[in-house]
Amino acid sequence: MTTTSDAPPDDSSDALADSTSDASLARSIARSAQIGKDLETDPGQFRMLTGDRPTGHLHLGHYFGSLRNRVALQDKGVETFVLIADYQVITDRDGVDHMRERVFSLLADYLALGLDPARTTIFTHSQIPALNQLMLPFLSLVTDSELRRNPTVKAEQEATGGRPMSGLMLTYPVHQAADILFCKANVVPVGKDQLPHLEQTRVVARRFDERYGRAGDRSAPVFPQPDALLSEVPNLLGTDGTKMSKSKGNVIELRMSADETARAIKKAVTDSDRHITYDPASRPEVANLVLLASLTTGRDPHTIAEEIGDGGSGGLKKLVTEAVNEHLAPVRARRGELEADPAHLRAVLAEGNGRADAVAQATIAEVREAMQMVYA
Ligand code: TRP
């Protein structure tokens, strides 16, 4: 029997503690830039995984912040996995609140935006037992102090306003490591807020091989260490000029009708200067509307602002409303058709879950083998 040691097997606990340090951030940014280039020349070497919590309906912030890029990567030929993270919903709330409806609404949003289930595997946590099973060995590879230091967990915990920390909240970064590693994804498109989870995932992958891995053969690790893909995200604000958030009622959802969109934009905050300019620093609310028109038309924001000129906020809102509604019309039409065919949505999810399950079973078989837990 070997002796146990309290010390981590390598110095990676420091790497995790520093995951938000300047040096670590610089490394992530540099790696991400390199991957951005490699994705152009050789998309076939990547397997991408990303996910969303099914907590609401997708809005324009999600669309321009991440969904648009995901679809572009899929269309470039990157093998793509998209997780509807149903178990992650219960990290910070007490109930499951319309879970089923939200999962299917998210799926409809995905398909309407162009994720193609023939090429992209869309799946849910709850239907992939072998993915969840990975959490057990992975939990043995992290310390409770590491988890308590995770800046994202801390921020999310604070946002619950005094709700006691659940075991799942504390350990969900490890579950997220299982999300990424079950399919051996090597690239994960995320925002900066998710970098601590990615660093945790890298630590888990590394330690797995050090402790349980194919001993003596470091050239064939069981798990790759994935990298973040940090894309340029436009700083789109809500219609009131503050951070977009569903709870503030300042978002434009993909599923809204053209009339609802017009009403939301009509309520948008502007300022008293009739002459429209694109000046994010001193006129954030007006600039945000111009940016929305720019994103939906693909035109330069300064040119758009100049064209409106003395048209005032009325002219600006009219143009933005038309631009958004025109851009979203085909997406909304497709979404409507999808919602009218729940049997099709169920079939798409069943197929994605089937594919993900096969991948997860192959991985857990390797893990059992590495951990000397094959008894047949
Ligand atoms: N935590 C992510 C979010 O809140 C969702 C998510 C779950 C995820 N598992 C993932 C993202 C794996 C990337 C990779 O948005």
Side-chain angles (χ1 to χ4, degrees):
M1 186 131 141
T2 53
T3 54
T4 55
S5 149
D6 285 340
D10 59 13
D11 63 356
S12 49
S13 56
D14 293 334
L16 182 64
D18 286 347
S19 66
T20 50
S21 73
D22 289 350
S24 171
L25 193 59
R27 188 206 69 86
S28 299
I29 291 171
R31 282 291 301 149
S32 169
Q34 183 58 45
I35 289 169
K37 285 186 200 146
D38 295 346
L39 279 165
E40 294 301 325
T41 53
D42 186 10
Q45 64 171 296
F46 293 102
R47 181 177 267 191
M48 163 175 115
L49 176 126
T50 183
D52 302 290
R53 299 178 190 202
T55 50
H57 306 284
L58 290 186
H59 54 63
L60 290 179
H62 298 123
Y63 175 40
F64 290 112
S66 66
L67 267 296
R68 196 171 56 151
N69 290 333
R70 259 184 233 176
V71 174
L73 288 168
Q74 164 199 272
D75 291 347
K76 271 190 190 121
V78 177
E79 190 182 4
T80 306
F81 283 74
V82 177
L83 163 65
I84 299 178
D86 52 1
Y87 273 140
Q88 219 175 79
V89 171
I90 52 171
T91 52
D92 66 352
R93 61 198 71 202
D94 292 328
V96 284
D97 192 23
H98 299 94
M99 181 74 84
R100 186 169 192 280
E101 212 177 299
R102 292 200 163 149
V103 167
F104 282 111
S105 169
L106 184 56
L107 180 62
D109 280 331
Y110 285 164
L111 302 185
L113 288 173
L115 284 179
D116 172 7
R119 290 177 286 167
T120 290
T121 301
I122 305 172
F123 66 104
T124 54
H125 274 144
S126 59
Q127 309 303 302
I128 320 293
L131 182 160
N132 297 301
Q133 191 180 340
L134 281 177
M135 180 124 169
L136 264 170
F138 286 1
L139 279 170
S140 75
L141 301 170
V142 300
T143 64
D144 81 313
S145 65
E146 242 164 34
L147 293 169
R148 281 177 215 283
R149 282 200 301 267
N150 183 305
T152 310
V153 171
K154 273 195 199 164
E156 284 178 19
Q157 178 59 27
E158 273 158 29
T160 68
R163 185 182 190 272
M165 170 97 87
S166 72
L168 187 62
M169 169 70 109
L170 183 65
T171 54
Y172 98 82
V174 184
H175 195 221
Q176 192 157 322
D179 298 342
I180 296 168
L181 296 178
F182 96 93
C183 68
K184 305 192 180 186
N186 53 6
V187 58
V188 185
V190 284
K192 280 195 186 134
D193 69 307
Q194 296 285 307
L195 284 177
H197 297 340
L198 214 60
E199 197 52 46
Q200 180 75 74
T201 303
R202 293 169 62 85
V203 165
V204 165
R206 212 149 58 216
R207 287 188 190 155
F208 185 90
D209 273 290
E210 283 159 0
R211 290 201 196 166
Y212 313 129
R214 300 174 176 123
D217 188 5
R218 284 290 158 75
S219 63
V222 176
F223 295 110
Q225 291 184 45
D227 282 299
L229 180 65
L230 298 157
S231 38
E232 286 273 324
V233 176
N235 189 20
L236 195 60
L237 303 171
T239 48
D240 58 356
T242 70
K243 193 170 153 30
M244 224 188 259
S245 150
K246 185 167 166 75
S247 57
K248 292 197 258 177
N250 64 2
V251 301
I252 297 169
E253 292 174 353
L254 295 172
R255 61 169 195 149
M256 282 179 172
S257 68
D259 283 348
E260 285 167 328
T261 304
R263 259 176 274 144
I265 294 172
K266 198 166 202 151
K267 278 193 321 201
V269 178
T270 52
D271 58 34
S272 54
D273 186 348
R274 267 199 76 75
H275 187 75
I276 299 303
T277 54
Y278 181 62
D279 190 352
S282 59
R283 302 181 71 185
E285 298 95 348
V286 166
N288 191 52
L289 288 172
V290 177
L291 176 63
L292 201 45
S294 164
L295 288 168
T296 44
T297 58
R299 298 176 66 225
D300 177 66
H302 295 282
T303 313
I304 293 174
E306 258 166 52
E307 279 173 16
I308 303 167
D310 289 326
S313 60
L316 173 61
K317 288 180 177 180
K318 184 166 176 293
L319 186 140
V320 175
T321 303
E322 281 167 11
V324 170
N325 280 339
E326 193 174 313
H327 187 74
L328 290 183
V331 175
R332 287 168 167 166
R334 236 174 300 150
R335 201 182 186 287
E337 289 164 22
L338 288 159
E339 290 234 291
D341 191 355
H344 173 67
L345 290 176
R346 285 199 300 272
V348 165
L349 194 54
E351 199 199 318
N353 280 333
R355 287 208 299 254
D357 191 54
V359 171
Q361 288 197 40
T363 301
I364 203 78
E366 274 185 78
V367 163
R368 288 198 194 105
E369 177 83 41
M371 297 181 75
Q372 306 176 43
M373 294 175 175
V374 179
Y375 308 120

